Amino acid sequence: PDSECFTYAIKAWCKSAKAGGQSQKTINSKVEKAHELLNRMAEMYFRSGSVLVRPSSVDYNNVLHAISSSGLTSEASARKADQLLSEMETKFKDGDTRVMPTAESYFNVIRAWNNCPDVETKLNGALESIGRMKAQYEGGNDACKPTVHCYNAVISVCRYRGFRTASEDLKRKGLKTVAEMVKNMRKSPQTQPTSTTYYMLLEAFSVLLQRHSKEYERTIESIFHQCCREGLVDDRVVRTFNRLAPYESYRRTVLDAASPRLDDSSSDVSVMSNALFLPSEWTRITNPDIPLAIDGTLDNQVQYRAAGKHKMRRLRRKHNQMLLHGGRD
């Protein structure tokens, strides 16, 4: 068998591990099978030096992805992912460019740490991983340039409910981590915050700050206002803000700014729809054409019309016109 055969076999075991309805034991067994194949590749290459079988970043990333996304929640699984990443770093340092760590490698390891049940362990693991990623990039590995997904993955660690009962020192460390991730994101046009970032920030501060305090209310409201200014409000953001913000804050921020939409499908333009919709400026990036209601649902009438217009545009394309005419010009 050559490298391609091993790659497909590893990918098959990884895909099988991510299938739903399986016990942790079954998932772990399948991940182990993929890991064994990866080790066998490395051993075969080490013993013979044959280029027919040689592990690559793709093979390592497949196994890392299986560990991080298959639902394994033990600290041992996270440490296994971290060990695989260390192997990649060591081999790459020794000159094996085929196993060069990538942003995907670090993203999967951060997610693996996020699956750990212990708050301090998952936070320390995620911070160490993002630090190693930056060191790789600063050392000349352009494939390790931090991405929005990596920063979001670290922020996601800080929204774990276990922080509610964590020590004040650990909460402060979580707050500092969130602030640092957002600051790093702002440094590059390619890593600007997204709707997912704001949704996660709202959830993170809801467990890191004392609920019902003035600081909590100001922070939650400030995050939502910034999201509105950037036009990144989507269904998750508005629903999360509705769930986490005190009612008075929600009323003056959302309800006072929302308005009904004229039902222009009716001959009587004075007819109003029952729903209240957010200002279009708030959703200009996420939903530029379809109004978003305060409950996070899209305007069905506009959505259907937009879908109809898209369908007509497809029919008017020259290629499709040819098909409608039996393939003739």
Side-chain angles (χ1 to χ4, degrees), residues 73-81 116:
T73 57
S74 67
E75 183 178 333
S77 297
R79 295 201 179 280
K80 182 187 297 181
C116 285

Side-chain angles (χ1 to χ4, degrees), residues 33 74 89 170 179 240 263:
K33 290 287 186 182
S74 67
E89 291 171 336
L170 197 55
T240 303
D263 189 354

Side-chain angles (χ1 to χ4, degrees), residues 3 45 48-54 98:
S3 294
Y45 177 69
S48 65
S50 172
V51 294
L52 289 176
V53 179
R54 188 177 180 184
R98 281 180 58 86

Side-chain angles (χ1 to χ4, degrees), residues 119 122-123 154-180 200-213 215-216 219-220 223 244:
V119 178
K122 68 166 63 194
L123 180 57
V154 178
I155 293 173
S156 183
V157 171
C158 299
R159 66 192 180 108
Y160 179 56
R161 292 179 181 178
F163 272 103
R164 287 192 179 130
T165 56
S167 66
E168 290 303 314
D169 286 344
L170 197 55
K171 286 182 180 180
R172 279 193 290 271
K173 188 173 182 178
L175 288 169
K176 183 180 178 181
T177 298
V178 170
E180 184 181 345
M200 289 182 175
L201 284 174
L202 289 170
E203 291 209 326
F205 282 110
S206 75
V207 298
L208 293 171
L209 294 176
Q210 184 65 41
R211 296 287 289 266
H212 310 301
S213 66
E215 181 187 13
Y216 170 78
T219 303
I220 292 293
I223 291 169
L244 298 177

Side-chain angles (χ1 to χ4, degrees), residues 240-252:
T240 303
F241 185 68
N242 182 15
R243 176 167 53 87
L244 298 177
Y247 175 74
E248 280 303 311
S249 177
Y250 177 75
R251 180 192 59 76
R252 65 173 175 266

Side-chain angles (χ1 to χ4, degrees), residues 292-312:
L292 184 68
I294 60 173
D295 63 355
T297 57
L298 296 173
D299 188 322
N300 287 333
Q301 293 182 13
V302 177
Q303 195 172 9
Y304 292 149
R305 285 199 294 272
K309 289 178 181 177
H310 177 68
K311 185 176 181 180
M312 290 305 298

Side-chain angles (χ1 to χ4, degrees), residues 35 39 60 82-92:
H35 193 188
N39 286 337
Y60 276 90
D82 193 75
Q83 182 182 358
L84 282 173
L85 181 60
S86 295
E87 285 180 22
M88 296 180 75
E89 291 171 336
T90 300
K91 290 181 179 180
F92 180 61

